[in-house]
Structures are given as C-alpha cells and as structure tokens.
Amino acid sequence: MFEEIYTSQYFVAVDETNTVRGYAYFRWGDDETKPFVEADEAGLKEIYVDPDYWGQGIGTALLEHSLAQLPESITTLKLEALSENDSGRRFYAARGFEPLTETTTTIADEPYSVTIYSLSL
C-alpha cells in the first residue's frame, strides 16, 4: 500500500464548447511553495479568468471548487497579488481574504509592491 501525495493542483474552467475560460493553480508543502506559506497552508499561485468572461462567476467557481479539493490538513490559503491590482483586491476581499502585509517583489528586474492575503479555511 502507498499514499499518493500531491503538492500542487491545477483546476480549469471550460464553457459549453469545451473552451478554457480560466484556471487556478495551488501549491503546498514543497520547495516551490512561496516562503510566506506555512506547512499547514496552501498558496494560490495563480487564478486567471479571460477578461471577456469576468463577472460571470467563473473565478468564484474555480476558487470554491479548488478549496474543496485541498487536503483536509490545509488550514489557510495565502496568496500574493500586485498591490495596485484593484480588480484582484476586490475579488479577494469579496471572498473573505484578509490582507496581511505589503512587501516588494522583483519581476523582470523591476521592483513591485505586493500584498499578501490570507483566507482561513
């Protein structure tokens, strides 16, 4: 007998024509998990919905379905988002995420302000 251990999962949202309209990517418990994610937490690495389909519940459905699939040992979901991402901030706030702290990250040799968010599960 063996136990299969997953440390990441992708979830994809498709429409009635089987066209991808969005996805979510989660990680936990490995070297590629962000440093601010603790052992009993998961990190939301990416969530994306085609902007032409915003406001149709796809992002919420992706998030809710994904959370239901995480291991029971995960107590918190954390993520980092660009601090100036107003639509992201509204999305996360509406779903119960709390901002924890602001920090700086480097993307393509440029510094950007990011906010770390947390959601207790």
Side-chain angles (χ1 to χ4, degrees):
M1 183 173 142
F2 68 93
E3 182 177 338
E4 204 167 356
I5 299 175
Y6 297 95
T7 58
S8 68
Q9 289 186 336
Y10 279 94
F11 299 95
V12 179
V14 297
D15 66 12
E16 62 282 349
T17 66
N18 215 28
T19 302
V20 174
R21 298 298 179 201
Y23 72 91
Y25 175 35
F26 293 78
R27 291 201 75 86
W28 61 92
D30 69 6
D31 292 340
E32 293 186 37
T33 303
K34 294 280 189 169
F36 57 81
V37 178
E38 302 294 328
D40 62 344
E41 301 174 338
L44 174 56
K45 296 277 288 183
E46 302 168 21
I47 188 166
Y48 174 81
V49 174
D50 180 334
D52 291 340
Y53 292 85
W54 286 3
Q56 296 183 23
I58 295 170
T60 300
L62 273 169
L63 182 62
E64 289 174 354
H65 177 78
S66 302
L67 291 175
Q69 306 307 310
L70 290 174
E72 289 183 20
S73 61
I74 301 297
T75 63
T76 305
L77 179 63
K78 288 185 177 172
L79 65 95
E80 70 179 344
L82 294 173
S83 298
E84 294 182 12
N85 179 349
D86 292 331
S87 60
R89 182 177 34 246
R90 286 189 306 272
F91 177 85
Y92 299 126
R95 281 137 195 95
F97 284 85
E98 297 287 334
L100 295 178
T101 188
E102 284 200 29
T103 188
T104 302
T105 193
T106 302
I107 303 170
D109 296 325
E110 294 290 326
Y112 291 89
S113 176
V114 293
T115 303
I116 308 297
Y117 292 90
S118 177
L119 176 68
S120 294
L121 305 179

